[in-house]
Amino acid sequence: MDYFLTEQQLMIRETARQVARERIVPVRAELDEKEEFPWEVVKACAAADLFAIWVPEAYGGLGGGILDLCVCVEELSRACAGVAVSYAASALGTIPIVLFGSEEQKAKYLPDVAAGRKLGAFALTEAGAGSDASGVQTTARRDGDHYVLNGTKQWITNGGDAETYTVVAITDRSRGPRGASAFIVEKGTPGFTFGKKEIKMGIRSSSTRELVFTDCRVPKENLLGREGQGFIIAMKTLDKSRPGIGAQALGIAQGAFDEAVAYSRQRVQFGHPISSFQAVQHMLANMAIKIEASRSLIYSVARFIDSGVKDYSKESAMAKVFPSDTAMEVTTDAVQILGGYGYMRDYPVEKMMRDAKITQIYEGTNQVIRNVIGLALVKEFAKHVQA
Ligand SMILES: Cc1cc2nc3c(=O)[nH]c(=O)nc-3n(C[C@H](O)[C@H](O)[C@H](O)COP(=O)(O)OP(=O)(O)OC[C@H]3O[C@@H](n4cnc5c(N)ncnc54)[C@H](O)[C@@H]3O)c2cc1C
């Protein structure tokens, strides 16, 4: 299928594909086994200008849109989703600065991000605040020219490895959902430390860690937007980034499909390659249909967002749910096509199946995301009836 990508998008795809082929594929199994953060690959992505994609040109970036970012994430994930999420989490952590940062904040933080010298991270989740972000307990109390942060964030991707964190904390509990604010917190700020590092089922080369704030004094200049805008900033950021999770899932599914087709052509049973059996062909056909449907949805939604429309929560949610369910189904079928070999670590589909699962969970579980879609549909219907 030709998706009529721009010259820049084609260049990004080719560059990311090359980094994936040359720098990720040879080390992915070892990174996964050792749960090692992929610093060498991060450096290769930086050298290839991939961290510049989502940063505006005025701050050293390429000024690309969501489709540019999705194309890159897809290609990196096709090789290894653990590496790809370390890359994508830097976008998630710094898109709030692109969207809501002041001129000074953008000029201070974005050039290092665009150059890949510093990674970003996004910190909303806490032990008691998962799907229900209103459960956030971390507080930020104004004290003169500073805010004083106290609390613990959980499961933060790039935790410990990133330098620039967007952190959501409560500034005024009495204001309910309007009582949260977002802050840029730099690694090394006194009172900001890192806690438990998680051991995970998949995306094991990415780091997932606690952030601990103990009387951590953050300059008032690091408040993003206005006091009380914290949840709006978080939700607008997630609306922008969810197609990127879809792209991660799509890359995983494509990678598993590639392996399954190649294997089916060389594995001989009953005197024939297993690719000649109709049952296997039907599985491959179903995998290919779902992959292409996912790609069509992600690219269309990304273009819709890049066109400048204001409200795209529903579409963005769709571009996360369908591809992530697809990734789980396709990787499971890929393991099935490889039979017992698919279950062994000698072949990459076992890792891909483990990696796929998280795409149904983070940035909103697929149940909660379906709630978002359902609510939007009901509202749209009500508006339509009133008109
Ligand atoms: C590897 C990893 C990396 C992560 N990285 C980050 C990060 O960088 N930054 C960050 O802030 N967070 C991060 N998270 C957190 C992630 O976004 C949350 O795990 C996710 O939002 C779900 O929250 P929860 O795990 O607490 O599940 P819960 O909210 O406890 O949900 C448990 C189950 O209940 C269901 N459920 C809950 N509420 C509803 C409802 N209203 N309707 C229907 N079903 C419901 C869910 O679908 C799920 O099946 C990460 C998580 C993981 C595992």
Side-chain angles (χ1 to χ4, degrees):
M1 280 269 277
D2 189 340
Y3 286 95
F4 303 103
L5 299 178
T6 62
E7 281 301 311
Q8 173 160 305
Q9 287 155 358
L10 289 172
M11 192 194 70
I12 288 171
R13 188 172 71 183
E14 199 39 52
T15 308
R17 202 169 272 180
Q18 193 180 346
V19 170
R21 194 174 48 234
E22 292 173 8
R23 307 299 298 271
I24 303 178
V25 171
V27 296
R28 63 184 173 191
E30 191 184 345
L31 291 173
D32 179 68
E33 186 66 32
K34 294 185 177 166
E35 299 198 289
E36 200 174 297
F37 191 78
W39 277 117
E40 289 307 314
V41 184
V42 166
K43 282 184 207 157
C45 289
D49 249 0
L50 297 180
F51 284 101
I53 291 173
W54 67 91
V55 176
E57 284 170 295
Y59 308 101
L62 290 172
I66 294 301
L67 181 52
D68 300 58
L69 186 57
C70 285
V71 166
C72 180
V73 171
E74 176 187 341
E75 288 304 324
L76 298 179
S77 304
R78 195 169 170 179
C80 175
V83 168
V85 74
S86 309
Y87 165 85
S90 196
L92 177 66
T94 54
I95 282 175
I97 304 178
V98 174
L99 293 180
F100 293 91
S102 65
E103 193 51 47
E104 292 73 25
Q105 288 169 339
K106 287 179 185 171
K108 182 172 178 188
Y109 292 105
L110 294 180
D112 280 338
V113 170
R117 281 187 294 272
K118 293 183 178 178
L119 295 179
F122 176 80
L124 176 63
T125 303
E126 299 181 6
S131 302
D132 181 7
S134 71
V136 164
Q137 296 297 317
T138 297
T139 53
R141 177 178 51 82
R142 181 75 187 260
D143 181 23
D145 287 344
H146 288 79
Y147 285 89
V148 183
L149 268 63
N150 277 289
T152 301
K153 294 289 175 185
Q154 175 173 273
W155 300 342
I156 306 308
T157 305
N158 284 353
D161 296 300
E163 301 280 336
T164 308
Y165 295 78
T166 295
V167 179
V168 177
I170 303 297
T171 36
D172 183 353
R173 197 169 298 285
S174 69
R175 297 192 67 206
R178 291 176 199 279
S181 304
F183 299 89
I184 305 168
V185 185
E186 294 177 28
K187 183 178 177 177
T189 307
F192 175 21
T193 53
F194 302 103
K196 184 179 174 215
K197 188 170 184 245
E198 303 295 341
I199 297 168
K200 307 191 291 292
M201 170 196 282
I203 56 164
R204 285 159 55 90
S205 61
S206 70
S207 51
T208 310
R209 204 152 171 197
E210 270 181 352
L211 314 183
V212 183
F213 301 97
T214 314
D215 291 333
C216 172
R217 295 179 73 80
V218 176
K220 70 176 190 333
E221 291 74 27
N222 286 23
L223 173 70
L224 266 173
R226 293 190 308 276
E227 247 189 53
Q229 271 194 315
F231 285 139
I232 291 172
I233 291 175
M235 294 311 136
K236 293 278 176 202
T237 299
L238 291 171
D239 280 350
K240 275 243 169 191
S241 71
R242 278 184 184 133
I245 300 294
Q248 187 190 336
L250 170 62
I252 298 170
Q254 183 68 60
F257 176 77
D258 297 343
E259 295 291 337
V261 177
Y263 182 86
S264 71
R265 285 166 53 86
Q266 55 95 8
R267 175 68 171 169
V268 175
Q269 290 291 282
F270 302 101
H272 299 280
I274 60 166
S275 62
S276 67
F277 303 141
Q278 200 177 43
V280 173
Q281 286 180 7
H282 281 187
M283 281 175 86
L284 290 172
N286 284 332
M287 291 156 84
I289 293 166
K290 289 178 205 162
I291 288 171
E292 222 52 77
S294 296
R295 186 170 289 116
S296 302
L297 178 61
I298 293 165
Y299 286 16
S300 309
V301 168
R303 281 199 176 107
F304 181 59
I305 296 172
D306 291 340
S307 74
V309 285
K310 278 209 163 123
D311 185 8
Y312 43 83
S313 301
K314 181 188 73 186
E315 291 77 10
S316 166
M318 288 175 170
K320 190 261 186 195
V321 167
F322 185 77
S324 56
D325 285 348
T326 291
M328 206 59 243
E329 290 163 14
V330 166
T331 54
T332 306
D333 283 351
V335 169
Q336 190 69 19
I337 288 176
L338 268 76
Y341 291 104
Y343 200 71
M344 303 300 163
R345 293 231 164 155
D346 299 338
Y347 288 83
V349 289
E350 166 272 342
K351 170 183 177 304
M352 290 164 171
M353 186 176 165
R354 286 187 284 110
D355 287 349
K357 185 62 205 170
I358 190 61
T359 64
Q360 294 181 306
I361 296 174
Y362 57 17
E363 291 204 22
T365 67
N366 281 6
Q367 288 80 9
V368 168
I369 299 277
R370 282 187 168 86
N371 291 348
V372 171
I373 298 168
L375 214 75
L377 290 172
V378 173
K379 268 191 195 162
E380 272 172 23
F381 183 76
K383 236 193 226 169
H384 187 66
V385 168
Q386 274 169 6

